[in-house]
C-alpha cells in the first residue's frame, strides 16, 4: 500500500526503488523489451518540451481513500508519473503547490465535491470520469473526478494515456463514459490449460495451483484490461466443461475474482447445458423439468456464495455438438430463461450465443441463426442477452455484418468479435483488427433508416435496450508477450477502446497504441500506423478476396484448402465458393438462398443487385462468371489474380516499411516482427498460389501477362501435410 506522505524526501532513491518494487512496474524498464508491459510501459517522455510541460503541470498527487480500487488507481498514477516524468511525484494530503493532480469521487474527497462538477458527473454514469485543468484557490491543478472509484481508475489510465502519447495538457477537458455497459473478454480456455483457437501459449489460468497459489500475472492481466475499460472476463471455453461448476473449481474461480475485483472486472462462467446430468446426478437437463430448474437455482446460489459479484453465464447450446434445450424439444428461449430465472435473485445475466447451425437443416448456414432467433424476439427474460458473432458465418477475414443486428428490437444483443486470429494468420501474420471492428460497428443496418449502425444496436440507443454488452474472444496466453506476437497486442487494445466507445476510428486507436507501445518518434508513427491500417485488407486479399470465405484447410484454419470437401457440407470450402466452369461465388439472391433478404431495405436490394453490391461482398452474395467485367474494368478472373497478388505485394511492402525502422525500435521486438513478416510473406504466397491454381482448374484461363508464377504446381499444395502440431501448422516445405 502507498501511504500518504509529505513532499520532503520524496525523491530519495530508496523511496523510488521501494515504489517500483511495490508496484512491480518499474522493474520492467531494466529488462530487455519483450512486450510483457504491453501499452503500459511508462518510459520517460522523449519530447523535451512536452516533458517540461508535464513536469510543470504534474508536481504532486492528492488522492485520499483506501478502497482497493482507489489504491490501485493511486499506485498506477504514481508509477506512471514516475516513469514518464523521470521523477518521483509525491503523494500529498492537500494542495500545497501548483500542478497537483487531484483524483477521487465527490463522496471520497472534499476537494472534488467542492468543485461544482455535479452536473457533468451526472452525465457520466457509473464508469465514466471527468478530467479538467482547473484552479483551486489560486493554484492550477488537474482533476480526475468520477462518481465511483472505478471511474477514477479509468480516468487515471486516461490521463496517463495522454502523457504516453505526448498530448498537450493545455486547457485539458475530458468527459468520458462507456457507451456499452458490459465490455468482456471471452476466454476459450479449457480446464487442462489448452486454449481453443489460442496461439499465445497455454491458458493463463493455472487451475492446478489455484486457489492456493495466485500468480502475480493475474493482477497484471486485470490491470491491462482495466486500462482499456474492459470490465468482465469469461474464464472458460464456450465448449464448456461442467466440472467448472463443482465446488473445487468454484473456489479457484473465487480466487481469481478476488484479484480482478479492484480493477472493476467481474468474472463470468460458461455453463454446460447438461451440467445437471454430468455433475448433478439428474436424469435430464430439460429446462421445463422442475428438478433441473431447482438444480440451476441452487448452483447459482452456490456460485454467488463464492463470488458475490459474479456476472453470469455464457452458453453455447445446440451448436457444434454442445447439449442444449432442443435435445428435449424445447427452444433456445426455454433454455436461456431457465438460467435467467436462476440468476435473477442475484442480478446475474445470461449471454446465450446465437452461433447455431445444423447440418440437418437444408438451408444456407449463414441464414440459420436469424431464422432460429428472430421468431423468439421478445420471449426472453429481462436478464437474458443474445450474443451474436459479428458476421453470420464464423469470424472470417471479411463477412457482411450479421443480419440479426437490428432484427431483434425486443432482445438485447451482445456483439461477439474474435480477437484471437483463428482465420487471419493466428500468431504470426500481422493483421490489425481495428478496421474490421470499425467496419462492423459503423455499418448501417437501416433497421430504423439511415444512422441505424450496428454500434447503435449494441449500445442500446437504437431499440432502447436496458442492458448492453460486447465480447471479444481473447488472444491471451502464457507467452511472455501475452498474445503470441507484438502486434496481436494491438487487437486486444483496439477491442477494449472500441468497446468503450464504438464511434472511435481505428486509425486514432492505432496511432495511440503505436505511441504507447513502440515510440512517439514521428518516423515510427508515420510508418507503423499505415502499415497496421492496411494489414487486415492485405490478409483479406491474399486469403479470401471479393467476398470469398471459409477457404482454409480443415481443422486448423491456417493454410489454404479451397479443395476441402467431405464430412459436414457446411464446414467445407466447396460449399462456400461454388466454383464451376462458369464462375464462382454463392448465390444468396432470390435465385439462390436469398440470404440477402435477411437485411433491411435498402441494403438488401443493394446487396442482391449485381450492379450495386460492393466488390468486397461480391462472391458472398453472387455467383459471377469468370469473364464478367468488374468495376476496375478487369474480368473477374483477372481481378481475383490481381487481388491475391496485391495481398502478397502488400506484405512485401510491410516488410520493407518495417525494415526502415531498424534502430528506432528496440532490437528484440523489432526482430520478432521482422521474422514474423518473413513467415507471413511466404504464407501469403502459399495462399495466393494454392487458391489461384485451384480456381484455375475451373476458370481454365491463363494468368494475366506479367503475373508472378506460382512456386509449385497445384498437386504440391494439395498434398502438403502440415506438422502434427495443429496450433502451429506451418508447412515448412512451402518455403
Ligand atoms: C469454441 C468456430 C471455431 C470453434 C469455436 C466455434 C464457436 O467453429 O472454429 O473453435 O468453438 O466457432 O464459436 O463456438
Amino acid at each position: 500500500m502507498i501511504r500518504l506522505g509529505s513532499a520532503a524526501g520524496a525523491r530519495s532513491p530508496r523511496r523510488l526503488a521501494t515504489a517500483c518494487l511495490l508496484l512491480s512496474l518499474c522493474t520492467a524498464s531494466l529488462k530487455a523489451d519483450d512486450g510483457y508491459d504491453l501499452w503500459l510501459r511508462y518510459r520517460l517522455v522523449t519530447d523535451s518540451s512536452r516533458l517540461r510541460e508535464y513536469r510543470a503541470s504534474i508536481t504532486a498527487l492528492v488522492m485520499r481513500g483506501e478502497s482497493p480500487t482507489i489504491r490501485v488507481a493511486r499506485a498506477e498514477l504514481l508509477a506512471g508519473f514516475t516513469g514518464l516524468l523521470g521523477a518521483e511525484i509525491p503523494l500529498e494530503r492537500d494542495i500545497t503547490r501548483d500542478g497537483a493532480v487531484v483524483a477521487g469521487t465527490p463522496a471520497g474527497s472534499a476537494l472534488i465535491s467542492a468543485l461544482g462538477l455535479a452536473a457533468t458527473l451526472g452525465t457520466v454514469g457509473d464508469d465514466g470520469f471527468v478530467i479538467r485543468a482547473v484552479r483551486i484557490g489560486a493554484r492550477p491543478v488537474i482533476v480526475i473526478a468520477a462518481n465511483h472509484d472505478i471511474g477514477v481508475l479509468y480516468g487515471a489510465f486516461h490521463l496517463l494515456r495522454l502523457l504516453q502519447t505526448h498530448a498537450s495538457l493545455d486547457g485539458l477537458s475530458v468527459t468520458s463514459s462507456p457507451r456499452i455497459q458490459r465490455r468482456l473478454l471471452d476466454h476459450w480456455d479449457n480446464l487442462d490449460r489448452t486454449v481453443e483457437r489460442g496461439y499465445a501459449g497455454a491458458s493463463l489460468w493455472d487451475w492446478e495451483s489455484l486457489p492456493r497459489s495466485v500468480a502475480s500475472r493475474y493482477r497484471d492481466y486485470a490491470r491491462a484490461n482495466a486500462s482499456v475499460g474492459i470490465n468482465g472476463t469469461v474464464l472458460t471455453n464456450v465448449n464448456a466443461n461442467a466440472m467448472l461448476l463443482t465446488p473445487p473449481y468454484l473456489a479457484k474461480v473465487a480466487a481469481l475474482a478476488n484479484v480482478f475485483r479492484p480493477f472493476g472486472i467481474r468474472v463470468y462462467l460458461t455453463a454446460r447445458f447438461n451440467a445437471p446430468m454430468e455433475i448433478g446426478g439428474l436424469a435430464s437437463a430439460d429446462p421445463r423439468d422442475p428438478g433441473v430448474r431447482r438444480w440451476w437455482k441452487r448452483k447459482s446460489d452456490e456460485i454467488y456464495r463464492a463470488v458475490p459479484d459474479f456476472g453470469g453465464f455464457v452458453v453455447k447450446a445446440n451448436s457444434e455438438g454442445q447439449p442444449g434445450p432442443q435435445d428435449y424439444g424445447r427452444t433456445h428461449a426455454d433454455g436461456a430463461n431457465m438460467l435467467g430465472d436462476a440468476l435473477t435473485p442475484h442480478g446475474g445475466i445470461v449471454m446465450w450465443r446465437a452461433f447455431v447451425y445444423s447440418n440437418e437443416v437444408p438451408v444456407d448456414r449463414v441464414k440459420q441463426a436469424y431464422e432460429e432467433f428472430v421468431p423468439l424476439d421478445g420471449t426472453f427474460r429481462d436478464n437474458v442477452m443474445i450474443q451474436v458473432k459479428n458476421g453470420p458465418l464464423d469470424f472470417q477475414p471479411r463477412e457482411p455484418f450479421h443480419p440479426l443486428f437490428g432484427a431483434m428490437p425486443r432482445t438485447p444483443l451482445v456483439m461477439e468479435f474474435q480477437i484471437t486470429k483463428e482465420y487471419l494468420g493466428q500468431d504470426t501474420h500481422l493483421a490489425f483488427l481495428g478496421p474490421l471492428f470499425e467496419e462492423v460497428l459503423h455499418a448501417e443496418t437501416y433497421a430504423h433508416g439511415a444512422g441505424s449502425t450496428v454500434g447503435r444496436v449494441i449500445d442500446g440507443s437504437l431499440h432502447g435496450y436496458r442492458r448492453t454488452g460486447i465480447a471479444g474472444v481473447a488472444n491471451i496466453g502464457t507467452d511472455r508477450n501475452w498474445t503470441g506476437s507484438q502486434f496481436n497486442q494491438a487487437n486486444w487494445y483496439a477491442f477494449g477502446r472500441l468497446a468503450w466507445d464504438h464511434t472511435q476510428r481505428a486509425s486514432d486507436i492505432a496511432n495511440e497504441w503505436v505511441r504507447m507501445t513502440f515510440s512517439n518518434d514521428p518516423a515510427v508513427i508515420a510508418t507503423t500506423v499505415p502499415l497496421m491500417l492496411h494489414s487486415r485488407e492485405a490478409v483479406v486479399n491474399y486469403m479470401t478476396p471479393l467476398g470469398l470465405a471459409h477457404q482454409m484447410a480443415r481443422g486448423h484454419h491456417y493454410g489454404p484448402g479451397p479443395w476441402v470437401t467431405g464430412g459436414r457440407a457446411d464446414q467445407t470450402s466447396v460449399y462456400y465458393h461454388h466454383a464451376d466452369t462458369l464462375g464462382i461465388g454463392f448465390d444468396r439472391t432470390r435465385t439462390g438462398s436469398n440470404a440477402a433478404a435477411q437485411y433491411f431495405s435498402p441494403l438488401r436490394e443493394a446487396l442482391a443487385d449485381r450492379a450495386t453490391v460492393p466488390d468486397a461482398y461480391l462472391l458472398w452474395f453472387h455467383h459471377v462468371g469468370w469473364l464478367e467485367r468488374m468495376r476496375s474494368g478487369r474480368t473477374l478472373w483477372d481481378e481475383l489474380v490481381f487481388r491475391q497478388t496485391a495481398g502478397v505485394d502488400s506484405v512485401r511492402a510491410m516488410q520493407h516499411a518495417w525494415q526502415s525502422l531498424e534502430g528506432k525500435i528496440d532490437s528484440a521486438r523489432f526482430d520478432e516482427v521482422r521474422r514474423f513478416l518473413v513467415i507471413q510473406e511466404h504464407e501469403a504466397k502459399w495462399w495466393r498460389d494454392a487458391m489461384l491454381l485451384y480456381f484455375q482448374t475451373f476458370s481454365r484461363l491463363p494468368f494475366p501477362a506479367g503475373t508472378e508464377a506460382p512456386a509449385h504446381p497445384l498437386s504440391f499444395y494439395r498434398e502438403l501435410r502440415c506438422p502434427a502440431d495443429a496450433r502451429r501448422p506451418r508447412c515448412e516445405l512451402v518455403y
Side-chain angles (χ1 to χ4, degrees), residues 434-725:
L436 187 161
F437 301 154
E438 177 183 305
E439 180 175 293
V440 176
L441 292 166
H442 296 194
E444 282 283 6
T445 67
Y446 294 101
H448 285 178
S452 309
T453 61
V454 171
R456 291 200 54 221
V457 174
I458 59 164
D459 74 12
S461 60
L462 197 67
H463 302 305
Y465 296 158
R466 206 163 67 78
R467 299 177 191 276
T468 54
I470 182 166
V473 180
N475 61 350
I476 300 162
T478 50
D479 277 7
R480 182 73 194 158
N481 66 20
W482 299 88
T483 56
S485 86
Q486 304 298 335
F487 273 94
N488 279 347
Q489 296 178 356
N491 296 330
W492 177 7
Y493 182 84
F495 169 77
R497 297 288 286 138
L498 285 164
W500 182 273
D501 180 0
H502 60 76
T503 65
Q504 293 182 97
R505 310 303 310 212
S507 50
D508 295 333
I509 294 171
N511 188 296
E512 63 187 32
W513 180 81
V514 168
R515 287 169 176 272
M516 295 163 82
T517 306
F518 285 123
S519 169
N520 278 283
D521 178 341
V524 173
I525 298 162
T527 303
T528 312
V529 172
L531 179 156
M532 289 171 73
L533 293 176
H534 291 134
S535 59
R536 179 267 189 145
E537 203 61 36
V539 175
V540 170
N541 276 335
Y542 63 71
M543 285 189 181
T544 45
L546 296 167
L548 284 172
H550 210 295
Q551 296 301 300
M552 68 298 305
R554 196 194 288 282
H556 56 66
H557 294 173
Y558 189 78
W563 45 80
V564 167
T565 185
R568 286 185 66 132
D570 55 5
Q571 289 182 338
T572 66
S573 304
V574 295
Y575 176 92
Y576 293 101
H577 64 58
H578 276 77
D580 55 29
T581 52
L582 299 177
I584 180 172
F586 200 129
D587 182 359
R588 292 191 166 109
T589 69
R590 253 183 238 276
T591 50
S593 78
N594 208 17
Q598 292 183 334
Y599 292 90
F600 288 91
S601 254
L603 182 60
R604 76 159 67 116
E605 290 80 12
L607 295 173
D609 186 343
R610 170 75 181 80
T612 50
V613 65
D615 284 356
Y617 303 117
L618 177 65
L619 304 180
W620 183 281
F621 288 105
H622 296 265
H623 190 76
V624 181
W626 292 113
L627 291 174
E628 273 189 48
R629 287 281 154 201
M630 304 288 296
R631 291 195 175 90
S632 63
R634 286 183 277 270
T635 64
L636 173 64
W637 168 248
D638 284 359
E639 185 74 23
L640 196 63
V641 177
F642 174 81
R643 298 255 179 160
Q644 296 213 264
T645 305
V648 178
D649 289 344
S650 300
V651 179
R652 289 176 181 152
M654 283 156 64
Q655 283 185 294
H656 190 72
W658 186 254
Q659 198 57 47
S660 74
L661 299 180
E662 188 162 19
K664 294 186 186 298
I665 288 173
D666 56 280
S667 57
R669 290 187 301 166
F670 175 82
D671 199 52
E672 185 196 298
V673 174
R674 189 191 56 74
R675 283 184 290 109
F676 280 8
L677 283 168
V678 171
I679 294 172
Q680 186 173 2
E681 195 256 340
H682 284 296
E683 294 179 347
K685 208 161 140 23
W686 171 25
W687 265 95
R688 183 201 86 121
D689 292 356
M691 294 279 283
L692 291 179
L693 287 169
Y694 172 76
F695 289 128
Q696 195 176 36
T697 64
F698 298 97
S699 79
R700 299 175 186 163
L701 292 165
F703 292 126
T707 305
E708 183 178 333
H712 304 278
L714 177 61
S715 56
F716 172 88
Y717 296 109
R718 291 191 69 136
E719 283 155 26
L720 204 58
R721 291 291 171 264
C722 295
D725 178 4

Side-chain angles (χ1 to χ4, degrees), residues 188 196-197 238-239 316 320 353 355 389 394 422:
W188 285 357
E196 181 150 351
R197 313 304 177 186
V238 287
N239 291 331
K316 172 175 175 177
E320 299 187 328
R353 294 177 88 228
F355 180 68
K389 289 189 181 185
D394 191 12
E422 174 180 355

Side-chain angles (χ1 to χ4, degrees), residues 329-342:
R330 312 299 187 196
T331 67
H332 284 287
D334 292 328
N337 289 343
M338 170 189 65
L339 295 178
D341 289 343

Side-chain angles (χ1 to χ4, degrees), residues 274-541:
N274 66 357
M277 298 164 76
E278 291 192 354
I279 59 168
L282 302 193
S284 155
D286 183 346
R288 296 255 175 107
D289 179 327
V292 172
R293 299 178 70 82
R294 232 178 356 259
W295 188 89
W296 279 110
K297 188 166 173 346
R298 286 193 188 132
K299 185 52 73 181
S300 301
D301 296 345
E302 182 189 343
I303 295 173
Y304 277 94
R305 278 196 296 279
V307 184
D309 57 351
F310 176 61
F313 293 130
V314 176
V315 187
K316 172 175 175 177
N318 292 119
S319 166
E320 299 187 328
Q322 295 298 306
Q326 292 176 335
D327 302 349
Y328 307 92
R330 312 299 187 196
T331 67
H332 284 287
D334 292 328
N337 289 343
M338 170 189 65
L339 295 178
D341 289 343
L343 294 170
T344 292
H346 307 284
I349 62 158
V350 176
M351 285 167 284
W352 190 270
R353 294 177 88 228
F355 180 68
V356 296
Y357 63 98
S358 158
N359 199 31
E360 271 77 65
V361 182
V363 300
D364 180 358
R365 170 170 155 185
V366 307
K367 288 176 68 180
Q368 290 187 32
Y370 182 101
E371 293 193 342
E372 189 96 51
F373 279 89
V374 168
L376 297 176
D377 188 26
T379 65
F380 293 97
R381 294 283 189 272
D382 182 53
N383 62 340
V384 172
M385 305 172 80
I386 301 301
Q387 184 161 314
V388 183
K389 289 189 181 185
N390 62 273
L393 181 50
D394 191 12
F395 300 135
Q396 297 303 295
R398 171 169 281 124
E399 297 183 37
F401 69 82
H402 203 302
L404 274 175
F405 293 113
M408 296 191 67
R410 294 190 293 154
T411 311
L413 302 183
V414 177
M415 167 64 73
E416 181 176 310
F417 281 124
Q418 194 180 46
I419 309 172
T420 189
K421 304 201 317 295
E422 174 180 355
Y423 296 102
L424 287 105
Q426 302 180 359
D427 51 347
T428 37
H429 294 208
L430 197 166
F432 175 52
L433 300 183
L436 187 161
F437 301 154
E438 177 183 305
E439 180 175 293
V440 176
L441 292 166
H442 296 194
E444 282 283 6
T445 67
Y446 294 101
H448 285 178
S452 309
T453 61
V454 171
R456 291 200 54 221
V457 174
I458 59 164
D459 74 12
S461 60
L462 197 67
H463 302 305
Y465 296 158
R466 206 163 67 78
R467 299 177 191 276
T468 54
I470 182 166
V473 180
N475 61 350
I476 300 162
T478 50
D479 277 7
R480 182 73 194 158
N481 66 20
W482 299 88
T483 56
S485 86
Q486 304 298 335
F487 273 94
N488 279 347
Q489 296 178 356
N491 296 330
W492 177 7
Y493 182 84
F495 169 77
R497 297 288 286 138
L498 285 164
W500 182 273
D501 180 0
H502 60 76
T503 65
Q504 293 182 97
R505 310 303 310 212
S507 50
D508 295 333
I509 294 171
N511 188 296
E512 63 187 32
W513 180 81
V514 168
R515 287 169 176 272
M516 295 163 82
T517 306
F518 285 123
S519 169
N520 278 283
D521 178 341
V524 173
I525 298 162
T527 303
T528 312
V529 172
L531 179 156
M532 289 171 73
L533 293 176
H534 291 134
S535 59
R536 179 267 189 145
E537 203 61 36
V539 175
V540 170
N541 276 335

